[in-house]
Amino acid sequence: MQAIFRNAARARPSSLAFRTSNVNRVVRATPSIRTLITKRYTEEHETIIFDDETKVGTVTLTDYAQKTLGDVVFVELPTPGSQLAQGDHIGAVESVKAASEIYSPVSGTVKEVNTALAEQPGLLNKSPEQDGWLCKIELSDPSEVEKLLEEEEYTKLIS
């Protein structure tokens, strides 16, 4: 094995197969960590992106919902620490065209809310699933995620 590294170190720098930096990447490889990220939808146009390692789900509005609402001007969010049951009212979104209630897709405890939405509610339009996320919920019953709509089912719903 040491001979391979010695030969790799002596190899021409232009040789991609034997660059020392490439060999070091393989040797220093870290074991992979299994984390399952599940994305599900509600019929009310909320999305939850659930991480099974942390048991925390990030709640967002769907792209379809933000397009239907139009330019968002106000967002009401739940209070961190709130206990929620699946289907509970957790906030509201107001736009220049309409207002809409937000419902919890799962049961659990609100761990964090996106405080940036108070100053920049338009983040919901620009990036509903990245910068415009609503809140993070630590699930009390992770099996509830499996009962929500998968992407194909949600796509049929909005068609």
Side-chain angles (χ1 to χ4, degrees), residues 7-130:
N7 290 337
R10 291 184 200 142
R12 294 179 302 157
S14 63
S15 172
L16 182 62
F18 291 106
R19 283 191 186 163
T20 305
S21 62
N22 288 341
V23 173
N24 288 339
R25 283 191 198 123
V26 173
V27 172
R28 293 182 188 157
T30 58
S32 63
I33 298 172
R34 184 199 157 275
T35 299
L36 181 63
I37 305 295
T38 305
K39 182 177 179 181
R40 295 294 173 98
Y41 302 82
T42 68
E43 292 182 4
E44 292 79 24
H45 311 290
E46 293 92 12
T47 302
I48 187 159
I49 302 164
F50 176 66
D51 181 336
D52 78 333
E53 182 179 343
T54 63
K55 305 293 186 242
V56 172
T58 302
V59 179
T60 71
L61 288 183
T62 65
D63 190 51
Y64 173 82
Q66 70 82 18
K67 285 179 182 174
T68 303
L69 284 167
D71 293 333
V72 175
V73 295
F74 176 76
V75 180
E76 175 191 339
L77 297 173
T79 306
S82 300
Q83 295 292 318
L84 304 170
Q86 189 174 36
D88 280 357
H89 173 266
I90 60 171
V93 177
E94 293 180 19
S95 72
V96 294
K97 293 178 6 179
S100 181
E101 302 292 318
I102 304 169
Y103 300 98
S104 180
V106 292
S107 302
T109 305
V110 177
K111 288 301 194 187
E112 185 180 353
V113 296
N114 188 351
T115 57
L117 292 175
E119 298 286 324
Q120 302 172 18
L123 288 173
L124 274 175
N125 297 113
K126 294 176 186 164
S127 178
E129 292 183 8
Q130 299 297 320

